[in-house]
Amino acid sequence: MRILLVEDHEALRSMTAAYLAERGFVVDDVGSVEAARAALDIGVYDAMILDLGLPDGDGRSLLTARVRGGAPPPPALILTARDALSDRIEGLNAGADDYLVKPFDLDELQARLRAVLRRPGTRGEVALGLGRLTFDTISREAKVEGRAVNLRRRETLVLETLLAARGRIVVRDVLEERLYGYDQMVTPNALEAAVSRLRKALDEAGAGVRIEVRRGIGYVLRAEDEPS
């Protein structure tokens, strides 16, 4: 899952981004309304964590801004020092899905973020499956007939993206966008390496699926008994 973190306090932003990255999220972090708008125009996000008191405006303006292709902004969790009841009401009425007051606990932030992502209409399916493989997009667990499949963070992100599009080609650019933040350098063979590790793990687990390569285009995930 890819998250946009909008927070102008640099140390807090770095700490929060690192915490979420360690727990399987891809995080793009910015410190202003302008930078957030630019990120929303070029990226596709599952959710947004949003401070209100930003140096160039109120973060609430991002809750109603249309983004690339005229789409609505992603679901948002407000994270702010404004603790008055009126501020909470205004934030929720402006379109936020949840509201957390600083100072906050990182574990609570993660729990609230995952709760936002579970709500109907905020993102794709919670439970994905193909062949003998199942994947929970909230717990980030892949299983084959109830047995856990041990995957690294990037293999997990590849699997989630391919499963969500099962049977359809996912182009390289989309996969790379899901795996890396916009400020991270993507090495030439990084995606191929992640796909190779994922393919090996699924084969060893007997997942009943196969990853097909479309040279120069991308990848497609199919059940092993499904024709190409």
Side-chain angles (χ1 to χ4, degrees):
M1 286 177 284
R2 190 172 184 183
I3 306 299
L4 178 62
L5 171 61
V6 189
E7 167 61 59
D8 67 327
H9 189 291
E10 186 173 351
L12 178 60
R13 186 172 75 241
S14 297
M15 179 184 68
T16 304
Y19 173 89
L20 292 174
E22 289 173 358
R23 283 148 184 83
F25 295 94
V26 173
V27 183
D28 291 341
D29 58 285
V30 298
S32 67
V33 171
E34 182 180 3
R37 288 183 185 277
L40 288 167
D41 282 342
I42 63 175
V44 177
Y45 297 97
D46 296 290
M48 174 169 56
I49 299 173
L50 179 62
D51 188 15
L52 297 183
L54 298 167
D56 58 344
D58 193 315
R60 281 177 298 195
S61 65
L62 296 168
L63 295 172
T64 56
R66 309 300 287 187
V67 296
R68 181 173 56 181
L77 167 61
I78 287 178
L79 184 63
T80 180
R82 299 180 188 175
D83 60 354
L85 177 60
S86 59
D87 289 320
R88 295 197 295 272
I89 291 172
E90 288 178 9
L92 293 169
N93 284 341
D97 296 85
D98 201 355
Y99 196 106
L100 184 60
V101 176
K102 301 173 185 176
F104 62 95
D105 182 86
L106 286 167
D107 289 339
E108 182 182 4
L109 172 65
Q110 180 190 198
R112 285 177 177 264
L113 178 59
R114 292 193 185 280
V116 166
L117 291 168
R118 280 196 298 269
R119 291 174 187 168
T122 57
R123 65 188 311 269
E125 302 166 83
V126 171
L128 302 171
L130 187 66
R132 292 181 289 277
L133 174 69
T134 59
F135 181 75
D136 187 310
T137 62
I138 303 302
S139 68
R140 321 299 296 148
E141 291 182 325
K143 294 183 178 180
V144 173
E145 297 181 333
R147 303 186 309 274
V149 182
N150 187 25
L151 300 174
R152 300 179 187 177
R153 183 176 69 89
R154 284 178 178 158
E155 287 95 90
T156 299
L157 290 166
V158 172
L159 175 61
E160 179 182 23
T161 306
L162 293 178
L163 265 176
R166 48 199 177 276
R168 305 190 305 274
I169 297 173
V170 180
V171 298
R172 288 183 57 92
D173 288 351
V174 169
L175 278 170
E176 289 176 347
E177 184 177 83
R178 300 294 291 177
L179 264 65
Y180 301 93
Y182 64 78
D183 59 348
Q184 292 178 291
M185 181 173 294
V186 183
T187 58
N189 298 319
L191 179 57
E192 286 83 352
V195 171
S196 178
R197 291 192 298 268
L198 174 60
R199 182 184 284 118
K200 180 180 179 181
L202 295 177
D203 287 346
E204 290 177 348
V209 299
R210 67 179 188 274
I211 301 174
E212 298 177 355
V213 180
R214 296 292 185 266
R215 296 292 179 189
I217 303 174
Y219 301 88
V220 58
L221 184 70
R222 299 186 188 278
E224 62 184 1
D225 58 355
E226 181 184 356
S228 299

